[in-house]
């Protein structure tokens, strides 16, 4: 029971509801979580975009690390775009929720381009990496242009 | 994985911005980013804690996926605890910033326990995975108890 006790403490510490994995999170929590994933994608993609644009010196180690993080982060936001969240204040346009088919295509594109970036980053070919950073940026933008309100 | 922990500690102590290639991010942005990483750790650890407590059915595929995400997320918050952030409103206690030596030990512990969870999750040994979920929870709690304000 030691492990159960420990896990109970962890759940308490993290503010995890006792409902378990199948309980649907509240819409506000889903939005907070998806926005967190977007924030971190920005944190780790920003320096790569700067390198690809020549605004920062190329650093292969940073590229490898960030590309690995992004390969994970690019899979995290999407379950947060649940239909239950459509009335929660955010920059998601209403038409996102009625065009999930198109959204899913754009999501797959981002996931695929980001995974390619991770793979290319391992080779250390700077030109190929910079081209792929551009492809990831385009994939981000394609969905934002379509489904995110301008600020 | 000790090298990885050491790098995270170095970033924390030296206050190196994410990626190290851009100008230091504003304190408010650093806090937003570190809170985003904490939010996502909660998202992906919560279901594992529920499984370890027997409050949710054990699902090896979910464990593998979440453990992989957590192995990445556990390395993301720490450069956000830059000394420049100490006056930004958050739940971080003031003594965190004057006890960076202790904080970095607790950070390394979390990173190491989370990486062990990722490794154990690949084997599919349910008892070992549940024990390691407990170890990760204790590592979260050790730092929260010391350096995070109660809500």
């Amino acid at each position: 029971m030691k492990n159960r006790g420990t896990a109970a403490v962890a759940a308490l510490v993290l503010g995890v509801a006792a409902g378990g994995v199948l309980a649907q999170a509240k819409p506000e929590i889903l939005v907070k979580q998806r926005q967190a994933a977007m924030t971190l994608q920005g944190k780790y993609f920003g320096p790569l975009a700067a390198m690809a644009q020549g605004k920062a010196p190329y650093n292969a180690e940073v590229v490898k690390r960030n590309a690995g993080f992004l390969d994970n982060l690019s899979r995290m936001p999407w379950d947060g775009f649940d239909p239950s969240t459509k009335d929660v204040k955010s920059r998601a346009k209403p038409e996102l929720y009625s065009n999930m088919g198109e959204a899913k295509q754009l999501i797959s594109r981002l996931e695929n381009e980001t995974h390619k970036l991770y793979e290319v980053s391992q080779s250390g070919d700077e030109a190929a990496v910079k081209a792929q950073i551009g492809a990831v940026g385009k994939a981000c933008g394609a969905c934002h242009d379509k489904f995110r309100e301008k600020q």
Side-chain angles (χ1 to χ4, degrees), chain A residues 57-145:
Chain A
Y58 189 75
N59 182 324
E61 288 308 309
V62 171
V63 169
K64 279 185 200 178
R65 186 201 62 172
N66 287 20
F69 284 167
L70 289 165
D71 192 25
N72 283 267
L73 290 166
S74 70
R75 291 177 279 153
M76 295 184 192
W78 319 123
D79 56 357
F81 289 93
D82 188 82
S84 67
T85 65
K86 71 181 168 56
D87 296 325
V88 178
K89 182 173 161 51
S90 85
R91 290 173 70 191
K93 291 183 182 175
E95 50 262 46
L96 168 64
Y97 300 98
S98 50
N99 286 282
M100 280 297 183
E102 188 175 353
K104 282 177 184 169
Q105 288 182 355
L106 292 167
I107 288 166
S108 290
R109 176 177 161 190
L110 177 70
E111 291 176 339
N112 292 336
E113 296 292 11
T114 306
H115 186 65
K116 275 186 207 165
L117 175 60
Y118 170 71
E119 291 180 328
V120 172
S121 74
Q122 304 305 300
S123 75
D125 179 333
E126 183 175 331
V129 167
K130 287 183 173 178
Q132 191 57 31
I133 290 169
V136 171
K138 280 189 178 176
C140 297
C143 200
H144 290 168
D145 288 348

Side-chain angles (χ1 to χ4, degrees), chain A residues 33-55:
Chain A
Q33 290 170 338
R34 79 191 193 202
Q35 289 176 338
M38 295 295 186
T39 291
L40 291 172
Q41 286 182 105
K43 175 183 178 184
Y44 293 107
F45 186 69
L48 306 192
M51 291 180 205
Q53 293 166 21
K55 293 180 180 171

